[in-house]
Amino acid sequence: MSLEKLLLPQSVAIIGASRVQGKVGYEIVSNILSGGFTGPVHPVNPKADEILGLECFPSVAAIGGPVDLAVICLPSPAVDKTILECGKAGIRAAIVITAGFKEIGEEGRKLEDRLVRTARQAGVRILGPNCLGLISTHVNLNASFAPLMPRQGSIAMISQSGALIAGILDKAQEGKIGFSYVVSVGNKAELDEEELLRAFAADPKTRVIAGYIENITEGEKFLRTAERVVPEKPVVLVKAGSTAAGTKAAFSHTGSLAGSEAAYECAFRRSGIIRAASIEDLFDLAQAFAEQPLPIGRRIAVITNAGGPGIMAADACEKANLTFRVLSESAVQKLQEVLPAAASTNNPVDVLGDADETRYENTLRIVMSDEGVDAALVLLTPQAMTHPAETAEAIARVYREVRKTVLVSFIGSKLVEGGIEILRENGIPQFPSPERAARALQAMADYVDWCSQPPRVIHRIPTHRVRVEKTIRRHRALGQTEVGEQAAKDILEAYGFIVPESILARNVDEARSAAERIGYPVVIKIASQDISHKSDVGGVRVGLENEEELIDGFELMMLRIQRKLPEARLDGVTVQEMKAGGREVIIGMTRDPQFGPLLVFGLGGIHVEVLKDVAFELAPITEEEACAMIERTKTFKLLRGVRGEKGVDTDTIAESLRRISQLSVDFPEILELDINPLKVTGTEAIAVDGRIRLCAD
Ligand code: ADP
Ligand code: MG
C-alpha cells in the first residue's frame, strides 16, 4: 500500500507535545497512549523533559531512532520549518493538525502554498493541515484529538469535517461499528481523497470505503480513480450540498439549470459511487457492505412475526426494485412441516406472533437454502412469546451455515436491545426499520449490477472538425466569446445537425429576396451580437406567410428594437426557413470546473427554467447513457405521446446528445452551448436556435 508510513506507522513523534491537559498537543499524546499503540512514541518539546511518562525530545533531530510519522501541533508559522526538519530526520509522513491556513483567508493560503512546496522538497507527505488527525485501528493508533478509539473493522472512513468524526466515533461506539482507518483530511493541501481512495483500494484490511465530502479537489482525476476502485470495493459517500453556481450571470439556459450538485450527481453515477443521503444512511450502507457477503441477485425473502412490518418490508422492497420472490415448491413444503397451520408460507413468511427462536431458526434455514433466494430480511417485533436474544443467536447460527446475505430489523427498543447486541457481535447488520434494511439491500444489489455491467463504449460520429476549428479561431481572433445564432448553427451543422436554411438580410430588400429564395412561410430573427435572448426583445417573428407580412414584420422589428435597445449593434435580420410542427426540447452543455462538460436534456421552450424537468450527464456519453438521460425526465413520456397523441423520435434526440457530447470533448474552448429549442418530429431533430460561449483565452 502506498502511504504506508502514514496509515500503518511503526513509530510516531508528536511535535508540539504539551504537558498542559486540554491542549491539543497533550490530548494527542494521551490518545495515542490510551489507544494502545505499541510502537515507540516520542513527544517533542524543547521546554519539557517528560510528557505523560514519556521521554521528551528538544527537537526532531534529537530523537535519534527512526520515526515513521510525525504529528504536528505547532502554531501555523512554525509548521513549515518543522517539515524541513522532519525531512532531514528521514520522516516521510506528517499529520498537520494545526489550523490557521487556507481556511482563514489570503494570508493562510500563502502559508499553505509554502507548506506544500516545502513538503514536496523535503519528501514528506502531509495530511491536513487543519485536521483532526488519523486513526488506524490495526496498529492501535489514535493520532487524533478525538478521545474514542473505535474497534477494528473493515470500513475506511475519510472525512472533510473533523468535528463530524468526533460525532461519528461516538455513534460507532454504540453501534459497535468497526473501522480500518478514520482519516480527517482537513484542508487537503497535499493529500486528498483521490489518493486515499487509491490507498484504501489496495489495502487488504479495508472492504468498504466511506466518506463525508464537501468538495472534490480534482474532479476528473478523482472520477477516473473511482471508476477503477469501485469494481474492487464499494465506495459510499455523503456529499454535503454546495451552493449552486447560480450566482454567476447565466449566459445559457443550460448554465442556469446546472448547479454544481448536478455534476456531482453525474460523477457519482458514472463511477458507481454510492451516494448516501445522510450520515445515518452512510453507516447503514457501509455496515451492510462491510459485514455481509454481496447478494448474487435481487431476489429477496422476508421472514416476520407480525403482519404489519411484513407489508412495510414488501412495499419497501418493491420501491427498492428488489424482486419479491415466490418461494420454491419444496421450500414451501418444508415450511409447512415446521410452521403452524395458521402461518403464511408465502413470501413474506409470517411465523406468527408466538414464534420462538426454534421456529425462526427452522424457517430461516429453509428460506435461505432456497436456490431462488439471494438475500433474506428477518423482522421481529417483541411480543409476549418472543425471545429476541435467543432468536438473534439462532439467526447467527443459520448465517454461519448458509453464508448468504441476511439483514435484520428488530423493531423496538429496550426489549430488543439484547438481541441487537448479539447480532452486532456476529456481524449481522441490524436496522431500526424494514425500510432502512431494504435500502441497504438495494444498495448492495445495485452495486452487484453495476460491477457486472459491460464496459462503456463511446462511438465517434464522423464530423467536420476543421470547419468548427475555423469558426472558433475567427471568433477568438476578434476577441468574441459569444458565438451568435448564425455561427453557432454553422458549428452545429458541421457536427451533423440539421439547421433551417438561413440568410442574413441587412435591409428590407435583402429580406425580400432571401424570403423569395427560401420560400414562404419564413421566420425572421434579429441579428445582433448584443442580443442573446431574441424573443425577450421582440426579435423573433414566425410564420410570415407572404411579402406583405415580411415587410411589416421587418420594419416593426427594427423600429421596436432600436427604440428599446438604442445601444445595440444591429446587423439586420436572419430570414429562416420555417420548420413547423414537432416538439421543442432543449439540449446543451455547460463546463463544470471540476468534472468537465456536463450535458443537459429537458423540455424546451420558455418553461424550461420553471419546470426544471431536466437530466444531466457528463460527456462523453455512450448511446445507452444518452437514451437513459432522456428516459429519466417526465418529458420523455410526453415525447412518446400521451392519450393517442403521435410520439416523436427520441432516438434522434439521443443522437443529438452524442453529437454535442463529442463537440464539447473535441473543443475544450467551448464553455457553454445551448440548442433551445431542438425541434423534434417523427423522424428528425432540427436545431432552430443555437448559442455558444467560448472561453476568453
Ligand atoms: P430566442 O431563444 O433567442 O428567443 P429562438 O430562435 O429560440 O429565439 O426563437 C424563439 C422561438 O421561435 C423558438 O422557441 C421556436 O418556437 C420558434 N422558432 C424559431 N425559429 C424557428 C424556425 N426556423 N422554425 C419554426 N419555429 C421557429
Ligand atoms: Mg431559443
Side-chain angles (χ1 to χ4, degrees), residues 391-472:
T391 305
E393 303 271 12
I395 295 170
R397 253 193 314 278
V398 180
Y399 169 61
R400 279 195 296 272
E401 267 170 48
V402 188
R403 284 282 159 189
K404 266 189 197 173
T405 319
V406 56
L407 304 188
V408 176
S409 175
F410 278 13
I411 302 163
S413 176
K414 281 270 170 281
L415 290 177
V416 292
E417 222 170 50
I420 290 174
E421 185 76 22
I422 292 164
L423 291 168
R424 282 178 182 147
E425 294 297 340
N426 283 282
I428 298 170
Q430 198 291 135
F431 303 87
S433 70
E435 287 84 359
R436 276 170 61 180
R439 151 86 178 134
L441 262 175
Q442 174 186 28
M444 292 172 99
D446 286 350
Y447 175 71
V448 171
D449 282 351
W450 196 89
C451 291
S452 60
Q453 75 191 359
R456 303 176 62 235
V457 185
I458 315 280
H459 291 292
R460 275 194 72 85
I461 305 170
T463 55
H464 296 286
R465 199 174 164 150
V466 179
R467 203 166 126 193
V468 178
E469 266 165 28
K470 279 189 190 142
T471 311
I472 290 182

Side-chain angles (χ1 to χ4, degrees), residues 31-325:
N31 287 342
I32 291 176
L33 291 179
S34 64
F37 183 64
T38 43
V41 181
H42 309 294
V44 176
N45 180 343
K47 294 195 202 111
D49 297 326
E50 182 240 280
I51 289 175
L52 283 161
L54 298 168
E55 182 191 354
C56 195
F57 296 89
S59 68
V60 180
I63 296 173
V67 174
D68 283 345
L69 173 67
V71 185
I72 301 175
C73 13
L74 294 167
S76 57
V79 175
D80 200 54
K81 197 170 131 263
T82 309
I83 291 289
L84 274 179
E85 287 167 13
C86 286
K88 281 201 194 105
I91 304 177
R92 293 284 155 255
I95 302 173
V96 183
I97 305 279
T98 315
F101 288 89
K102 190 170 66 190
E103 79 284 2
I104 61 161
E106 201 35 48
E107 266 314 287
R109 173 178 290 282
K110 281 190 199 141
L111 266 184
E112 190 163 315
D113 289 346
R114 206 178 73 199
L115 176 63
V116 172
R117 279 199 303 273
T118 306
R120 300 223 161 111
Q121 266 166 25
V124 181
R125 304 303 316 269
I126 52 174
L127 179 68
N130 184 28
C131 75
L132 180 110
L134 161 90
I135 293 173
S136 174
T137 60
H138 292 278
V139 292
N140 294 324
L141 175 70
N142 180 2
S144 83
F145 56 90
L148 292 168
M149 180 74 175
R151 56 161 67 185
Q152 286 183 358
S154 57
I155 303 174
M157 171 84 196
I158 304 170
S159 177
Q160 215 175 326
S161 156
L164 189 70
I165 289 183
I168 285 171
L169 292 177
D170 193 18
K171 189 99 192 109
Q173 200 84 352
E174 180 203 313
K176 298 215 157 41
I177 300 174
F179 293 90
S180 49
Y181 309 92
V182 179
V183 184
S184 160
V185 290
N187 291 2
K188 306 191 285 188
E190 208 254 329
L191 254 172
D192 64 9
E193 54 285 316
E194 186 267 339
E195 203 169 340
L196 286 166
L197 210 60
R198 272 192 282 142
F200 293 145
D203 171 42
K205 296 180 177 72
T206 298
R207 277 189 71 177
V208 43
I209 302 163
Y212 165 85
I213 55 159
E214 287 161 4
N215 69 304
I216 285 170
T217 325
E218 289 178 89
E220 291 190 79
K221 190 168 164 207
F222 177 81
L223 202 63
R224 280 197 303 275
T225 300
E227 275 175 311
R228 274 205 321 275
V229 170
V230 169
E232 316 244 323
K233 285 174 196 181
V235 178
V236 191
L237 297 181
V238 182
K239 161 79 175 67
S242 50
T243 49
T247 41
K248 77 165 196 236
F251 158 78
S252 65
H253 294 280
T254 308
S256 69
L257 287 167
S260 64
E261 267 312 286
Y264 275 100
E265 196 74 51
C266 292
F268 285 10
R269 185 172 50 237
R270 171 69 48 86
S271 57
I273 291 174
I274 300 151
R275 185 166 188 177
S278 61
I279 293 294
E280 191 172 70
D281 195 30
L282 179 72
F283 283 104
D284 279 1
L285 305 185
Q287 238 183 317
F289 279 111
E291 293 179 342
Q292 286 286 300
L294 289 168
I296 53 166
R298 312 186 74 93
R299 301 165 305 177
I300 176 168
V302 173
I303 298 167
T304 177
N305 68 346
I311 297 169
M312 281 160 69
D315 284 348
C317 289
E318 192 168 354
K319 271 198 208 119
N321 229 342
L322 298 164
T323 318
F324 219 61
R325 273 285 293 195

Side-chain angles (χ1 to χ4, degrees), residues 253 525 532-535 540 605 674-677 688-691:
H253 294 280
K525 298 187 196 176
S532 138
H533 295 278
K534 301 173 290 290
S535 311
V540 179
D674 240 9
I675 303 177
N676 186 20
V688 301
D689 187 21
R691 75 175 55 91

Side-chain angles (χ1 to χ4, degrees), residues 253 485 489 499-501 522-526 531-537 539-543 576-581 584 604-606 675-679 686-691:
H253 294 280
E485 184 184 342
K489 278 169 148 177
V499 300
E501 191 184 349
V522 295
V523 177
I524 57 169
K525 298 187 196 176
I526 195 73
I531 299 170
S532 138
H533 295 278
K534 301 173 290 290
S535 311
D536 292 354
V537 294
V540 179
R541 288 289 304 274
V542 298
Q576 296 183 10
E577 180 188 354
M578 169 87 191
K579 293 283 190 186
E584 297 194 348
I606 51 173
I675 303 177
N676 186 20
L678 180 76
K679 253 177 185 279
I686 305 149
V688 301
D689 187 21
R691 75 175 55 91

